[in-house]
Amino acid sequence: MGPRRCLLLLTLLAGALRAQQQQFMEYVERRLTLLEERISQWHDQSSRYSTELRDFKNQVLGMLETAEKEREAMRSEAESAAVRVDRLEREVDYLETQNPAPPCVEVDETLMEKQVATAKQRKNEKYTKLTDCSDTIASVRAMKILKRFGSTSGLWTKDAAGNSEKIYVFDGTANDTVYVFPRMREFTLFSATRKAARIKLPYPWVGTGHLVYDGHLYYIRQQGPFQVIKFNLANKTVVDSSVFPAEEQIPVFGLSPFTYIEVAADEEGLWAIYATKEDEKNICLAKLDPTSLDIEQMWDTPCPRENAEGAFVVCGALHVVYNTRLPSRARVQCVFDVSGTLAPEDASLVYFPKRYGSHSSMKYSPRERQIYAWDDGYQIIYRMEMKKKLEV
């Protein structure tokens, strides 16, 4: 190939390369321009979003500031209300303490002697049942320890006949003030008595054999002969009182020397559990009229006082709980059915779980089928498993 042809070929190739290079540069410029437009759009959108986010943030901060002010105002109102409630509670307590004690209901000695004679005539007769209750305790289904409150000995219970959820607490074995909590929750959650109303009784009680039944408190007052006081919880007055017609009474339970009369309730009504010098070894039982406090009928039971710590009545059958002076498992070892429909050998020997010491009180609730117990300052609920009595 001659030099001229080579030069011509090189010239043509150089022109083609310049044309391709120009096209490539134009393509790159178009792509860069498109990219710049997209970046500009993203920048505009980002700026708009930042502005909206800043406005939303300012709005939220304003709302939080308003909510904080309202919360502070509500807290101040709540503190003010708590102060007013505390002041009101103190004023109510003061008014209750200032109420004069109602006069003691005098006991007609002639009437009392007549009641004793009538009760002795019907002593140990077979009992005519008032209801169709035919259940007896099979076992302790569950146990729940609520808390520890007050003295080692005491009593806590609900109304055995009404539907009230109030909790009544009798701290100690000799006192004159009853604590009343509106519900179980207040009694369980609060360690102090700030949530409790106080009822100051006209006469101090003795022992732990008291009972709340149909809006009334039946408690034992010791002044000479033992006296059963019927106290209306609504208007805070003594409705009636009666000297218990039993001579030379002694503590009914060997392990609870502070209790001389145990007033109990079951599906049949009111009962009195007691002991006398006449039959010093065994426990006695009486059916009470809740309206007049008259004794309708009396029984001598085969249940011994020795090592007994408490008792309750279920469907007309007395259940006596025994223990030892050293802490051990409490158990029902003696059952006495006044209607004769439950043979002693068919009664279940119910065991209560081993706890701290011995029960100072055990109150059966017929509408809940459970027992409210006080064990060395601990408040315990025993839920009972029931079964049908076997006819003798």
Side-chain angles (χ1 to χ4, degrees):
M1 181 181 296
R4 295 184 65 180
R5 288 185 176 181
C6 290
L7 182 61
L8 180 60
L9 182 59
L10 289 173
T11 302
L12 293 173
L13 289 173
L17 288 174
R18 280 195 299 271
Q20 291 180 356
Q21 185 178 10
Q22 183 65 30
Q23 292 177 355
F24 177 73
M25 292 301 295
E26 291 176 355
Y27 171 76
V28 170
E29 288 179 357
R30 287 197 303 272
R31 298 298 295 178
L32 289 174
T33 301
L34 182 60
L35 183 60
E36 288 175 353
E37 291 177 354
R38 290 184 177 179
I39 291 175
S40 178
Q41 291 178 358
W42 292 339
H43 177 73
D44 293 341
Q45 292 177 356
S46 176
S47 178
R48 185 172 64 255
Y49 293 155
S50 297
T51 302
E52 292 177 355
L53 180 60
R54 183 169 57 254
D55 294 341
F56 178 73
K57 178 181 177 182
N58 293 334
Q59 183 180 2
V60 170
L61 290 176
M63 295 172 63
L64 289 175
E65 184 177 356
T66 302
E68 181 66 22
K69 291 180 180 178
E70 292 178 354
R71 188 185 70 84
E72 185 66 24
M74 292 180 64
R75 187 182 66 82
S76 300
E77 291 178 0
E79 290 179 351
S80 177
V83 171
R84 291 196 297 270
V85 169
D86 289 338
R87 185 184 301 116
L88 179 61
E89 288 179 349
R90 290 194 298 269
E91 292 175 354
V92 170
D93 291 341
Y94 173 76
L95 291 175
E96 289 180 350
T97 58
Q98 295 302 308
N99 284 338
C104 176
V105 179
E106 295 183 358
V107 178
D108 189 334
E109 294 183 0
T110 305
L111 179 61
M112 186 183 71
E113 291 176 359
K114 184 179 180 180
Q115 291 176 1
V116 174
T118 303
K120 285 185 176 180
Q121 287 178 0
R122 297 194 60 194
K123 194 170 186 178
N124 297 325
E125 291 182 4
K126 187 173 180 179
Y127 176 71
T128 302
K129 295 181 63 176
L130 302 177
T131 70
D132 59 354
C133 181
S134 60
D135 291 336
T136 185
I137 296 177
S139 63
V140 177
R141 185 179 65 188
M143 180 189 75
K144 183 177 182 181
I145 302 174
L146 270 296
K147 63 185 299 183
R148 187 172 189 177
F149 174 88
S151 309
T152 55
S153 297
L155 163 71
W156 75 297
T157 185
K158 286 185 179 180
D159 190 322
N163 294 320
S164 173
E165 293 300 316
K166 291 182 178 180
I167 302 295
Y168 299 89
V169 180
F170 301 76
D171 186 15
T173 59
N175 207 331
D176 64 354
T177 302
V178 183
Y179 297 106
V180 184
F181 293 84
R183 288 176 300 276
M184 185 72 72
R185 179 178 180 274
E186 282 75 9
F187 175 66
T188 305
L189 295 181
F190 297 95
S191 58
T193 57
R194 187 174 66 86
K195 293 292 182 180
R198 292 170 176 82
I199 299 178
K200 188 175 179 61
L201 301 178
Y203 316 110
W205 73 70
V206 61
T208 59
H210 329 302
L211 176 73
V212 178
Y213 186 85
D214 195 22
H216 293 84
L217 167 62
Y218 298 81
Y219 74 98
I220 312 305
R221 174 197 180 192
Q222 184 179 16
Q223 186 181 19
F226 288 98
Q227 192 175 15
V228 181
I229 304 294
K230 182 179 179 181
F231 182 80
N232 189 303
L233 293 168
N235 56 29
K236 312 295 189 299
T237 58
V238 172
V239 177
D240 203 351
S241 67
S242 175
V243 174
F244 195 75
E247 300 174 357
E248 295 186 79
Q249 283 189 242
I250 56 177
V252 61
F253 308 122
L255 297 184
S256 302
F258 38 77
T259 298
Y260 286 77
I261 300 174
E262 176 82 25
V263 185
D266 74 340
E267 295 78 1
E268 294 280 299
L270 256 61
W271 305 82
I273 307 166
Y274 64 101
T276 65
K277 280 282 188 180
E278 185 179 357
D279 187 8
E280 187 173 352
K281 292 184 178 181
N282 293 337
I283 294 172
C284 299
L285 180 66
K287 184 70 172 65
L288 292 180
D289 184 337
T291 303
S292 63
L293 297 180
D294 292 342
I295 291 185
E296 300 175 346
Q297 200 169 340
M298 304 171 75
W299 295 268
D300 295 325
T301 78
C303 302
R305 292 176 54 249
E306 185 178 3
N307 289 331
E309 66 176 14
F312 48 89
V313 183
V314 178
C315 285
L318 174 68
H319 294 67
V320 184
V321 181
Y322 293 86
N323 207 325
T324 61
R325 297 194 180 276
L326 296 176
S328 66
R329 292 180 68 187
R331 57 203 181 278
V332 174
Q333 279 188 302
C334 184
V335 179
F336 175 74
D337 188 359
V338 297
S339 64
T341 58
L342 178 65
E345 60 271 15
D346 293 331
S348 300
L349 298 182
V350 180
Y351 283 84
F352 295 89
K354 181 177 180 180
R355 291 313 312 161
Y356 305 96
S358 107
H359 298 100
S360 61
S361 63
M362 302 182 77
K363 286 297 175 183
Y364 172 70
S365 173
R367 64 187 177 94
E368 297 175 317
R369 295 295 177 92
Q370 60 188 23
I371 293 174
Y372 293 86
W374 190 297
D375 182 359
D376 197 27
Y378 289 87
Q379 289 72 51
I380 302 173
I381 292 178
Y382 295 109
R383 293 185 173 88
M384 314 307 293
E385 188 75 31
M386 311 301 287
K387 67 178 183 179
K388 293 297 180 182
K389 293 180 183 179
L390 296 177
E391 295 287 340
V392 179

